[in-house]
Amino acid sequence: MDVEGKVLKSRFKRVCVFCGSSTGKRKCYRDAAVELAQELVARRLDLVYGGGSIGLMGLVSQAVHHAGGNVLGIIPRTLMSKEITGETVGEVRPVADMHQRKAEMARNSDCFIALPGGYGTLEELLEVITWAQLGIHDKPVGLLNVDGYYNYLLTFIDKAVDDGFIKPSQRNIIVSAPNAKELVQKLEEYVPVHVGAIAKASWEVEQQQQQAPQQVGFNASTLQTEIAL
């Protein structure tokens, strides 16, 4: 709900949040994670995230859960001992590996938001941006640019546009804002651009996991044009 107690309507149902397994050194990052959680709950949006209970992952998931929101955490079994400490919240869904984690997070979400994070957060963020560029999905992708954290990344992307490596129309795949309320509103208003994209395709996690439990969950054969996300 907003400050007047009204429920904010949303075009989304579930939001995937990429964020660090560290809280970072500055309080503003921790505050941003909690504020994002509050915005999701205000709009009655479920949280999908990487399943850990530490760092910004733990903060955003616990804040959503304690405010009455639904939480789905997706985590590779090999990382459970490293990224989960103490009590977990919501549903924790173990998967085989990192590829399946990302595919499941994407499949279960209507849009993506990146909080500050490190290599893992950047890798997840850039992959869903690339999928949007290729037309694999048309879900909005947002950067929560807390106190300018992502300024240099945005400058790099602008440089890539200027030097001809990214089409100007595809620069608009990334939506950014300095706070959660502004960012979520921009994502609500986002209109995808399909200039230069391939025919819409989508990824699906391998449906026959019981028959082949060791198989990687995302591969070329799982891109199916008939499956709408």
Side-chain angles (χ1 to χ4, degrees):
M1 298 185 206
D2 63 12
V3 292
E4 297 178 349
K6 297 177 182 178
V7 174
L8 301 173
K9 293 184 179 180
S10 176
R11 61 186 273 205
F12 310 122
K13 178 173 172 52
R14 285 180 166 178
V15 176
C16 177
V17 175
F18 302 130
C19 53
S21 56
S22 168
T23 58
K25 294 182 177 181
R26 302 174 62 197
K27 183 176 181 291
C28 61
Y29 303 139
R30 300 190 294 274
D31 291 343
V34 174
E35 288 167 7
L36 176 58
Q38 292 170 343
E39 187 65 21
L40 298 183
V41 172
R43 294 174 182 265
R44 292 188 175 175
L45 296 172
D46 296 346
L47 169 68
V48 178
Y49 81 114
S53 63
I54 58 177
L56 296 186
M57 281 197 294
L59 285 177
V60 70
S61 61
Q62 290 159 19
V64 170
H65 179 74
H66 292 154
N70 295 320
V71 176
L72 171 61
I74 299 172
I75 186 169
R77 292 181 181 88
T78 54
L79 289 183
M80 292 182 73
S81 61
K82 180 178 180 181
E83 293 188 355
I84 296 179
T85 59
E87 184 179 358
T88 59
V89 297
E91 177 187 353
V92 177
R93 185 179 300 173
V95 294
D97 51 41
M98 293 292 287
H99 296 290
Q100 189 176 359
R101 178 199 224 179
K102 291 182 291 183
E104 276 285 278
M105 289 171 71
R107 189 173 66 85
N108 281 280
S109 303
D110 302 312
C111 69
F112 308 93
I113 292 176
L115 279 162
Y119 288 142
T121 300
L122 287 173
E123 190 270 341
E124 291 168 330
L125 170 68
L126 291 174
E127 184 155 26
V128 295
I129 290 171
T130 302
W131 289 349
Q133 181 186 38
L134 294 173
I136 293 173
H137 72 81
D138 57 9
K139 302 176 182 183
V141 181
L143 274 181
L144 191 49
N145 192 18
V146 182
D147 200 26
Y149 181 78
Y150 283 114
N151 282 355
Y152 290 118
L153 174 62
L154 294 171
T155 298
F156 163 75
I157 293 169
D158 289 336
K159 175 66 172 174
V161 173
D162 291 343
D163 285 3
F165 291 101
I166 296 175
K167 291 182 171 63
S169 61
Q170 295 171 342
R171 170 64 176 83
N172 298 324
I173 290 171
I174 306 170
V175 176
S176 65
N179 61 73
K181 185 176 291 294
E182 183 180 340
L183 179 60
V184 175
Q185 188 56 44
K186 283 186 175 183
L187 294 174
E188 295 277 6
E189 298 166 357
Y190 174 81
V191 177
V193 177
H194 296 297
V195 177
I198 62 174
K200 186 176 180 191
S202 65
W203 64 90
E204 271 296 300
V205 175
E206 178 61 48
Q207 298 298 310
Q208 322 259 317
Q209 290 177 19
Q210 289 91 354
Q211 297 177 0
Q214 301 303 316
Q215 184 170 344
V216 172
F218 175 77
N219 55 47
S221 67
T222 63
L223 294 175
Q224 301 173 7
T225 54
E226 289 110 40
I227 300 174
L229 294 180

